[in-house]
Amino acid sequence: MASTTTTDPEHQHHTFSSIGKAGKSSGEIEGLDVRLLNGQRHSERYSVAAAVLPFFFPALGGLLYGFDIGATSSATINIKSPTSSGVSWYDLSSVQIGLITSGSLYGALLGSILAFNVADFLGRRRELMVSAASYIIGALITTLAPTFAIMVIGRIVYGIGIGLAMHAAPMYIAETAVSQIRGRLISLKEFFIVSGMVLGYVVGSLLVDVKGGWRYMYATATPFGVVMVIGMWWLPASPRWILLRAIQGKGDMRDLREYAIYCLRRLRGEEAMDDSASQEVEEILVELSYISEENEATFGEMFQGKCLKALIIGAGLVLFQQITGQPSVLYYAASIFQTAGFAAASDATRASILLGLLKLIMTGVAVMVVDKVGRRPLLLGGVSGIVVSLFLLGSFYTYLGNIPTVAVVALLLYVGCYQISFGPIGWLMISEIFPLRLRGRGLSIAVLVNFGANAIVTFAFSPLETLLGAGILFFIFGGIAVLSLVFIFFIVPETKGLTLEEIEAKLL
């Protein structure tokens, strides 16, 4: 790759092909050579109004993921009804209902595998456009399905959109947001997921007794997908992705640099219409070069050095997010409310709405404090609460069955603590922790681990419950949660207030 000098006089002695080649890792560079990496960088100026849409349209991918979870809980009830299904094949077996429920999960796993191979080529913006198209096509196929087999195909296509969205949305938001509000925005994406769940529960409760109501439930996702694809078409590409292609020689350096400045100005708004966007691009370029991003990532590098450490952190968090029992605890929600005698909440849909509102409130708390308090305190505090709640649930199903209040308190405690810790912070950390040239593939592995662990826990729960009993199973989840606390305390770093390049240089 030909040498290209920066236009900044202060850095004109560096070339993009020579910076970072002194034989030291980013953590070993000393003195003035790490001026940017030591926090003395140009202030990231931005307009709050301009930051809204680059967050909103990618976050719709999360809302559509949550909506699918909420709507499917009612759709499976409606489609089994002889009077309300509106189809002749309503007499579905438990396996067939399981395929409808988990079809989008299989699709998400497929989307995660697809993202590993095409994400860096497509870029974050175009990947989100493909995701939105998958949402639209999947929703329409499911809505119009004349047979059970076609419906499952639609569910899988929709799930591909989920896998791509959960991969690309946190990357796009992380790479386009300023460091001061990055944590808040990515955590707010979790708020959109929960909002989608609540919307799905509400739409489902309204249509559950309507003839063919399941079709209308799934059709509701279509306009959101249309808004998402139009919005992502309008938004600019990620400047960091553009600059990565520039320093890797995948285009003319000057042209890509100017395009990155143009995109950054659109993302930052009026605050960046002066020279601040140009200066920020120059600083990102220099930092990327210092931390040796010039060479294109190979598959083997995914399991070496910095990326291996990032994989351990990111994949470890999303693995513990699932194997501490999150799908299983929610599975018991309706029966816990019934046991406690809450007649108004005895219906599964109403209980789900109540829990969804609690999830919204607690996610809002996490959004407000994550960039002030930091990631580690929320993880340590929230997971400690999860440990307590799981042991309370285990005790209820083993020793305290005559005190239903214990189960209700444990359930609410679990949901609240999950939503200020694993829920938003897991997705936030995996979007921050991977080096830029490995971020697309690294995040796809983390997303694959997340959905894979979700599938394993979901499918293994019923036979394990039969074999061990609910009480023992929740005690096991509690023990795993204790291990996750140890993992967080010793392995997971604090990334609050650092740019993505500084995270790579200082923490990996």
Side-chain angles (χ1 to χ4, degrees):
M1 175 178 162
S3 297
T4 309
T5 56
T6 67
T7 56
D8 185 350
E10 191 171 340
H11 297 124
Q12 63 185 3
H13 62 289
H14 294 305
T15 65
F16 291 121
S17 60
S18 63
I19 290 176
K21 295 292 191 291
K24 297 181 177 182
S25 70
S26 55
E28 296 171 317
I29 300 170
E30 298 176 356
L32 294 177
D33 282 349
V34 288
R35 180 182 63 83
L36 296 174
L37 300 180
N38 281 332
Q40 300 177 31
R41 61 183 184 273
H42 179 266
S43 175
E44 297 172 284
R45 299 176 62 186
Y46 68 99
S47 162
V48 174
V52 172
L53 293 181
F55 157 78
F56 176 77
F57 292 121
L60 283 178
L63 184 139
L64 286 166
Y65 171 35
F67 177 83
D68 182 71
I69 296 172
T72 298
S73 65
S74 294
T76 52
I77 297 172
N78 179 265
I79 201 169
K80 290 189 298 181
S81 170
T83 57
S84 300
S85 66
V87 295
S88 60
W89 39 275
Y90 64 86
D91 189 19
L92 300 173
S93 68
S94 59
V95 173
Q96 289 174 313
I97 291 296
L99 284 173
I100 294 174
T101 304
S102 61
S104 60
L105 182 58
Y106 294 132
L109 288 168
L110 185 59
S112 302
I113 296 170
L114 184 64
F116 184 88
N117 295 307
V118 304
D120 286 330
F121 169 74
L122 286 176
R124 294 45 164 146
R125 170 177 165 269
R126 283 184 290 186
E127 186 181 350
L128 282 165
M129 291 174 67
V130 173
S131 167
S134 297
Y135 276 136
I136 295 168
I137 295 170
L140 290 176
I141 292 174
T142 306
T143 299
L144 302 173
T147 65
F148 168 77
I150 299 298
M151 183 182 186
V152 172
I153 291 172
R155 300 286 295 132
I156 292 172
V157 173
Y158 190 96
I160 291 173
I162 293 174
L164 293 175
M166 292 301 97
H167 174 260
M171 276 200 300
Y172 186 88
I173 297 170
E175 291 181 3
T176 57
V178 296
S179 57
Q180 300 98 298
I181 59 172
R182 185 179 65 239
R184 185 172 299 173
L185 290 180
I186 299 175
S187 300
L188 195 58
K189 183 185 72 67
E190 175 72 13
F191 186 88
F192 267 57
I193 294 175
V194 178
S195 298
M197 289 183 193
V198 175
L199 178 63
Y201 291 139
V202 171
V203 170
S205 66
L206 294 174
L207 297 172
V208 72
D209 294 322
V210 174
K211 187 174 182 178
W214 61 273
R215 297 187 186 274
Y216 302 116
M217 294 178 203
Y218 287 121
T220 304
T222 306
F224 292 98
V226 172
V227 172
M228 180 181 171
V229 75
I230 293 173
M232 292 313 306
W233 174 81
W234 175 80
L235 285 175
S238 161
R240 282 183 167 87
W241 177 75
I242 295 168
L243 295 176
L244 177 66
R245 297 182 68 80
I247 66 173
Q248 290 181 345
K250 296 179 180 178
D252 181 77
M253 169 66 75
R254 185 179 299 276
D255 290 344
L256 289 173
R257 174 185 171 278
E258 291 303 317
Y259 184 44
I261 293 172
Y262 163 77
C263 291
L264 193 61
R265 282 176 173 163
R266 284 190 60 192
L267 291 163
R268 298 288 189 265
E270 295 181 0
E271 296 296 323
M273 293 309 289
D274 54 17
D275 290 336
S276 63
S278 301
Q279 189 169 349
E280 187 173 339
V281 163
E282 295 297 341
E283 292 177 355
I284 293 173
L285 274 171
V286 173
E287 291 182 11
L288 290 178
S289 299
Y290 271 126
I291 52 185
S292 303
E293 297 281 351
E294 289 99 326
N295 299 321
E296 187 172 2
T298 63
F299 181 79
E301 284 184 86
M302 298 301 304
F303 307 97
Q304 299 174 12
K306 291 180 178 181
C307 196
L308 177 59
K309 185 175 180 180
L311 267 178
I312 292 171
I313 295 169
L317 277 176
V318 294
L319 177 64
F320 280 120
Q321 184 188 69
Q322 298 300 324
I323 64 174
T324 47
Q326 190 259 153
S328 306
V329 172
L330 295 181
Y331 174 85
Y332 265 88
S335 65
I336 287 174
F337 277 114
Q338 288 174 344
T339 303
F342 289 90
S346 60
D347 178 78
T349 302
R350 293 180 182 177
S352 298
I353 293 174
L354 177 62
L355 283 180
L357 292 175
L358 175 63
K359 286 163 75 73
L360 272 179
I361 293 170
M362 297 309 295
T363 306
V365 172
V367 168
M368 295 304 295
V369 303
V370 64
D371 281 319
K372 297 178 181 178
V373 174
R375 285 63 161 154
R376 276 173 55 86
L378 287 177
L379 280 171
L380 291 170
V383 177
S384 296
I386 287 174
V387 170
V388 174
S389 66
L390 287 170
F391 281 108
L392 282 175
L393 282 172
S395 299
F396 171 74
Y397 284 102
T398 306
Y399 313 112
L400 306 174
N402 60 338
I403 313 177
T405 305
V406 171
V408 174
V409 170
L411 175 65
L412 298 179
L413 179 64
Y414 184 98
V415 170
C417 288
Y418 179 87
Q419 290 307 135
I420 62 170
S421 57
F422 276 142
I425 309 301
W427 292 106
L428 168 58
M429 291 294 294
I430 64 172
S431 68
E432 295 179 323
I433 203 67
F434 289 100
L436 177 58
R437 67 194 178 100
L438 299 163
R439 188 170 295 143
R441 289 185 169 183
L443 224 152
S444 68
I445 293 175
V447 172
L448 187 63
V449 169
N450 179 273
F451 285 117
N454 189 322
I456 291 171
V457 172
T458 300
F459 297 139
F461 179 77
S462 184
L464 285 175
E465 180 197 14
T466 302
L467 179 65
L468 302 173
I472 299 299
L473 194 52
F474 282 123
F475 280 134
I476 292 174
F477 284 140
I480 295 173
V482 172
L483 291 178
S484 72
L485 266 180
V486 175
F487 173 83
I488 293 165
F489 186 82
F490 288 104
I491 302 296
V492 178
E494 179 58 72
T495 59
K496 179 185 70 171
L498 299 176
T499 67
L500 297 178
E501 293 72 37
E502 287 175 323
I503 291 170
E504 178 179 351
K506 293 182 175 182
L507 302 181
L508 296 179

